[in-house]
């Protein structure tokens, strides 16, 4: 029996590739990207039966090069950088691991809140540079305990953020197109609110919505001006939800106290990005979903979906994109 090939389109280390191979089902082999860009992806997808996209975008041209491709699997949840319409036209199924990274991302978002409110990352970098920052921080520090936190987007990640915040005694507002039932709101200790209310009242605005035409540039100059001057913005969702030029202007003018960003409109973040010139922002390189103890369960789920396709079985409904 011939092996079927899975290609990880992202660049990865040999060590990480070996960890993936250790979890492969029988009858499958794994290859992976060794360079960035569509031309390289077109080469490595050409002979693949299945492909995995972590953080790389997948264009129509890349998909069209996958002449044997049966399934493109998103490693995670957000598929806004995959040309899903093209996949559908080409007869390539697309799946994702819905909810698989909810707890790691929620924990990371909490870490970003604390780092931004307390200048943790700033103090760390100052000390590494031989400077003792006590008494000369770029702004005031604030506790998270007892604050009002607004969660924009309330799927699995947003709900886990709310659960973590309960221990801090926060007032939690959430925005969602369809509000939860009164019973579920009571269980989570949250209240439904409009985006306008969240911007006006929250000490921390934490973004957990998908990137769609409706949410692109959701947080722009007007939204930032509507926030409290003492508030911080946290984005562990998608870069395009925030207008980065407007955020730079707001942070420079101290229209808000600070921000923490794990995602950007262009990734990797260009080294000349103005976000890197600010002293009241925490920036991390799209790390929120990465947790070693979440690696195997997520990978096994992706591989199980590929086995379903190989056997002519349906992919579980929760993981189907197209």
């Amino acid at each position: 029996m011939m092996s079927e090939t899975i290609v990880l389109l992202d660049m990865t280390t040999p060590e990480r590739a070996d960890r993936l191979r250790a979890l492969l089902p029988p009858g499958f082999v794994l290859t992976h990207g060794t360079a960035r860009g569509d031309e390289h992806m077109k080469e490595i997808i050409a002979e693949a039966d299945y492909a995995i996209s972590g953080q790389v975008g997948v264009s129509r041209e890349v998909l069209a090069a996958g002449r044997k491709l049966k399934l493109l699997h998103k490693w995670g949840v957000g598929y806004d950088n995959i040309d899903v319409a093209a996949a559908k036209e080409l007869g390539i199924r697309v799946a994702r691991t819905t909810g698989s990274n909810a707890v790691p991302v929620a924990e990371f978002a909490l870490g970003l809140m604390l780092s931004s409110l307390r200048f943790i990352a700033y103090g760390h970098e100052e000390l590494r540079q031989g400077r003792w920052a006590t008494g000369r921080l770029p702004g005031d520090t604030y506790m998270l305990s007892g604050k009002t936190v607004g969660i924009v987007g309330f799927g699995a990640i947003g709900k886990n953020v709310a659960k973590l915040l309960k221990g801090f005694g926060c007032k939690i507002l959430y925005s969602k197109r369809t509000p939860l039932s009164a019973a579920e709101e009571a269980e989570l200790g949250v209240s439904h609110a409009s985006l306008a209310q969240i911007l006006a009242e929250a000490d921390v605005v934490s973004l957990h919505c998908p990137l769609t035409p409706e949410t692109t540039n959701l947080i722009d100059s007007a939204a930032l001006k509507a926030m409290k001057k003492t508030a911080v913005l946290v984005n562990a969702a998608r870069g395009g939800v925030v207008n980065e030029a407007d955020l730079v202007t707001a942070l420079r003018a101290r229209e808000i106290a600070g921000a923490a960003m794990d995602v950007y409109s262009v990734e990797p973040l260009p080294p000349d990005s103005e976000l890197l010139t600010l002293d009241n922002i925490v920036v991390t390189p799209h790390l929120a979903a990465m947790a070693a103890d979440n690696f195997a369960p997520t990978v096994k789920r992706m591989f199980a979906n590929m086995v379903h396709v190989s056997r002519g079985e349906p992919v579980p409904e929760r993981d189907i994109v197209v």
Side-chain angles (χ1 to χ4, degrees):
M1 178 176 142
M2 289 185 63
S3 296
E4 294 188 276
T5 300
I6 302 168
V7 60
L8 172 62
L9 297 172
D10 300 65
M11 290 176 63
T12 194
T13 62
E15 294 77 17
R16 199 156 182 256
D18 286 343
R19 288 177 66 199
L20 285 165
R21 291 189 179 102
L23 299 169
L24 279 171
F28 289 82
V29 296
L30 179 93
T31 62
H32 63 84
T34 55
R36 297 189 191 279
D38 277 11
E39 291 309 310
H40 179 64
M41 284 196 285
K42 283 157 71 174
E43 284 179 29
I44 61 177
I45 206 171
E47 297 302 321
D49 300 286
Y50 308 91
I52 297 169
S53 164
Q55 295 183 6
V56 294
V58 185
S59 67
R60 174 183 290 271
E61 290 72 24
V62 171
L63 288 166
R67 49 185 176 266
K68 296 170 53 183
L69 202 64
K70 302 169 189 172
L71 176 73
L72 171 64
H73 212 301
K74 171 67 184 181
W75 190 339
V77 182
Y79 55 88
D80 50 88
N81 60 351
I82 295 172
D83 193 333
V84 173
K88 194 171 184 178
E89 284 177 30
L90 294 164
I92 299 167
R93 279 171 277 191
V94 181
R96 60 178 178 166
T97 50
T98 307
S100 63
N101 61 7
V103 172
V105 175
E107 288 185 354
F108 198 89
L110 188 72
L112 291 177
M113 291 177 199
L114 291 166
S115 187
S116 186
L117 288 165
R118 304 294 292 276
F119 284 105
I120 293 171
Y122 179 87
H124 167 83
E125 188 55 33
E126 285 290 286
L127 200 53
R128 282 175 57 90
Q129 299 298 325
R131 297 186 290 267
W132 193 258
T134 304
R136 51 180 191 82
L137 294 171
D140 293 328
T141 62
Y142 296 94
M143 295 189 298
L144 178 58
S145 295
K147 297 296 186 293
T148 297
V149 178
I151 302 173
V152 180
F154 209 62
I157 296 169
K159 287 177 183 176
N160 274 284
V161 171
K163 289 174 185 176
L164 294 173
L165 287 170
K166 285 178 80 172
F168 288 83
C170 293
K171 177 184 177 182
I172 306 168
L173 305 175
Y174 76 96
S175 69
K176 188 176 186 291
R177 190 173 296 168
T178 306
L180 305 179
S181 67
E184 196 169 5
E185 285 190 354
E187 182 186 345
L188 290 168
V190 300
S191 301
H192 187 259
S194 65
L195 177 62
Q197 184 184 349
I198 284 174
L199 294 173
E201 297 181 15
D203 301 294
V204 177
V205 176
S206 194
L207 305 176
H208 300 287
C209 52
L211 181 62
T212 66
E214 291 74 32
T215 62
T216 298
N217 289 324
L218 183 71
I219 305 301
D220 59 6
S221 178
L224 292 160
K225 283 181 167 63
M227 289 172 63
K228 294 180 177 181
K229 285 191 177 295
T230 52
V232 300
L233 175 72
V234 172
N235 188 11
R238 281 293 182 268
V241 176
V242 176
N243 183 307
E244 290 169 8
D246 288 354
L247 178 62
V248 168
T249 299
L251 289 171
R252 282 215 175 111
R254 295 312 201 250
E255 289 175 0
I256 61 171
M261 304 276 284
D262 185 51
V263 289
Y264 311 92
S265 55
V266 175
E267 295 184 1
L269 183 67
D272 62 351
S273 169
E274 289 190 82
L275 292 170
L276 299 173
T277 68
L278 304 166
D279 60 9
N280 54 347
I281 191 170
V282 177
V283 285
T284 52
H286 206 143
L287 296 177
M290 296 177 68
D293 38 2
N294 195 49
F295 181 89
T298 303
V299 171
K300 286 178 179 177
R301 186 165 146 194
M302 283 194 296
F303 288 165
N305 286 342
M306 293 171 193
V307 169
H308 284 308
V309 173
S310 178
R311 292 174 176 169
E313 301 166 355
V315 171
E317 186 71 30
R318 66 173 178 166
D319 285 353
I320 295 172
V321 177
V322 294

